[in-house]
Amino acid sequence: MGTALLEVKNLAVHFQIPGTAGETTGIAGGEPTGVIKAVDGVSFQVFPGETFGLVGESGCGKSVTALSLLKLLPTPPAVLAGGEVIYRPEKKQPGKDLWQLPHGDLIKLRGREISLIFQEPMTSLNPVMKIGRQIGEALRIHSPEKALPAKELRRQVLEMLARVGIHQPERAYEAYPHELSGGMRQRAMIAMALICRPKLVIADEPTTALDVTIQAQILELLKELQVSYNLSLLLITHNLGIIAETAHRVAVMYMGRIVELAPVKELFHNPLHPYTLGLLASIPRLDREEELRAIPGMIPDPLRLPAGCHFAPRCPRVMEVCHKEYPVSREAAPGHTVACWLQDK
């Protein structure tokens, strides 16, 4: 597939959990009583022009992965425990580890080359700043010119608002976030992410708060803009239906680790990990009359993860070895890897 635009190697992000005074542990308030391994050795690649999906239940580490790529997590409590995030904007140039960049260089890269679309635009947009000014600020900061004329800045912002499907861009330009609908706010967030023509866009649950009709429009818009601007897209979601419609490859996460990674068609036609099978079985199907099958049990306490495979307590095909040792990720088919002891059978 050529050279990866983004390569994540053994990413590990932990959170230190402070205790409270009076606990039986005897640890004074403010002292760490445990570590949550929110992301624990995650590796994947995103190629130019590709949509790569990251899917899993809430709390599996998807959003932490997205925020940690650009070092947007507060440290502490987050700890960047290990790994590399290699970004290669040019094929012939050596990649650079984003975690090792000086802070000033990383700020210049955010928004200009790698952009992030957050989950909920109402909490991500500044409530006391007009939409046009917020989008224009990103363009002004990252403009190669020292001072972009106000008239030209307004023109480019209005052009981008129209490009993302806002029919009255002048009105939206002068509006505050609360004056727009949820779908309009999400389009404004997309406009802000694309205004500097980045090479990679990280979309963290971009349609979670939207109804089904608007969700479909936003997904169609993202696909259209990806082709128009030759974007690479890292799409994070819990919805396998969205992955089936938009992604080229997908990684399935559970408790901070990738348990299966494959091309989308391969994953849907030949899922191998019991967790992936459980997710697919829980999707409503019009061609079936059988009841939905939920995955039994609950996700384990992240402070007290079970020994061996983290999915073992919920797995219908659990074996003795599953409780003792975490399985190594193996290639079951070209481009299709899975971390499960069943692959040895």
Side-chain angles (χ1 to χ4, degrees):
M1 297 181 66
T3 304
L5 177 67
L6 183 76
E7 185 173 6
V8 179
K9 300 179 180 179
N10 297 315
L11 184 70
V13 181
H14 302 167
F15 287 88
Q16 294 180 344
I17 305 302
T20 56
E23 286 185 334
T24 56
T25 58
I27 299 176
E31 295 294 328
T33 59
V35 174
I36 291 179
K37 297 181 178 180
V39 180
D40 191 15
V42 165
S43 299
F44 60 86
Q45 296 175 314
V46 182
F47 292 92
E50 177 188 38
T51 297
F52 182 85
L54 199 57
V55 68
E57 289 176 281
S58 295
C60 73
K62 307 184 302 296
S63 294
V64 173
T65 298
L67 294 172
S68 64
L69 297 180
L70 292 173
K71 297 179 73 173
L72 290 172
L73 293 170
T75 53
V79 177
L80 306 180
E84 296 177 292
V85 181
I86 307 299
Y87 175 62
R88 296 185 182 89
E90 303 293 340
K91 291 183 179 180
K92 296 182 180 180
Q93 297 295 324
K96 47 191 174 185
D97 188 351
L98 299 185
W99 280 15
Q100 301 302 321
L101 283 181
H103 184 64
D105 292 344
L106 188 59
I107 288 178
K108 292 178 183 178
L109 184 140
R110 294 172 184 162
R112 185 179 64 185
E113 298 198 38
I114 303 178
S115 287
L116 181 62
I117 301 173
F118 293 97
Q119 286 192 33
E120 174 49 63
M122 194 60 200
T123 57
S124 303
L125 293 168
N126 189 329
V128 297
M129 187 183 292
K130 292 182 178 181
I131 293 294
R133 183 181 171 191
Q134 294 190 55
I135 299 174
E137 185 176 49
L139 183 61
R140 178 179 55 80
I141 291 173
H142 295 294
S143 174
E145 303 175 18
K146 290 185 178 180
L148 192 67
K151 187 175 181 180
E152 175 61 17
L153 188 146
R154 178 184 174 88
R155 185 194 68 78
Q156 291 191 36
V157 172
L158 289 174
E159 183 179 288
M160 182 55 69
L161 286 171
R163 187 71 183 83
V164 298
I166 294 180
H167 299 299
Q168 294 180 309
E170 293 85 359
R171 181 171 173 269
Y173 187 98
E174 298 294 339
Y176 290 98
H178 71 273
E179 296 178 306
L180 301 180
S181 66
M184 294 275 276
R185 286 194 294 266
Q186 192 61 277
R187 291 172 188 270
M189 281 288 296
I190 294 172
M192 189 184 301
L194 298 184
I195 191 67
C196 295
R197 304 293 196 274
K199 293 180 173 64
L200 173 65
V201 173
I202 303 170
D204 185 12
E205 301 274 12
T207 60
T208 296
L210 306 177
D211 60 60
V212 176
T213 304
I214 303 301
Q215 181 184 95
Q217 293 176 6
I218 295 298
L219 291 174
E220 190 62 35
L221 173 64
L222 285 173
K223 288 194 290 186
E224 179 186 336
L225 293 173
Q226 182 183 24
V227 174
S228 299
Y229 297 131
N230 192 29
L231 296 173
S232 295
L233 183 64
L234 173 55
L235 180 61
I236 297 172
T237 181
H238 63 273
N239 190 327
L240 279 169
I242 290 175
I243 293 296
E245 292 179 15
T246 58
H248 299 98
R249 292 185 304 129
V250 58
V252 180
M253 284 190 74
Y254 186 75
M255 296 308 298
R257 297 190 179 188
I258 290 178
V259 297
E260 189 164 5
L261 191 155
V264 166
K265 290 183 179 179
E266 170 73 12
L267 186 89
F268 278 84
H269 290 144
N270 185 31
L272 297 176
H273 197 281
Y275 178 59
T276 308
L277 289 163
L279 290 177
L280 291 171
S282 66
I283 299 176
R285 293 278 298 270
L286 294 177
D287 58 345
R288 295 179 187 167
E289 295 184 0
E290 61 188 38
E291 294 183 0
L292 293 179
R293 291 176 288 168
I295 299 175
M298 298 289 291
I299 60 173
D301 183 346
L303 284 172
R304 300 172 181 82
L305 290 174
C309 177
H310 301 336
F311 189 63
R314 307 175 69 187
C315 182
R317 302 178 65 186
V318 65
M319 302 178 292
E320 185 177 352
V321 67
C322 302
H323 294 292
K324 297 179 179 179
E325 187 177 353
Y326 198 91
V328 176
S329 185
R330 307 168 190 270
E331 188 171 53
H336 189 167
T337 59
V338 59
C340 181
W341 289 114
L342 289 171
Q343 296 308 301
D344 291 346
K345 299 295 182 181

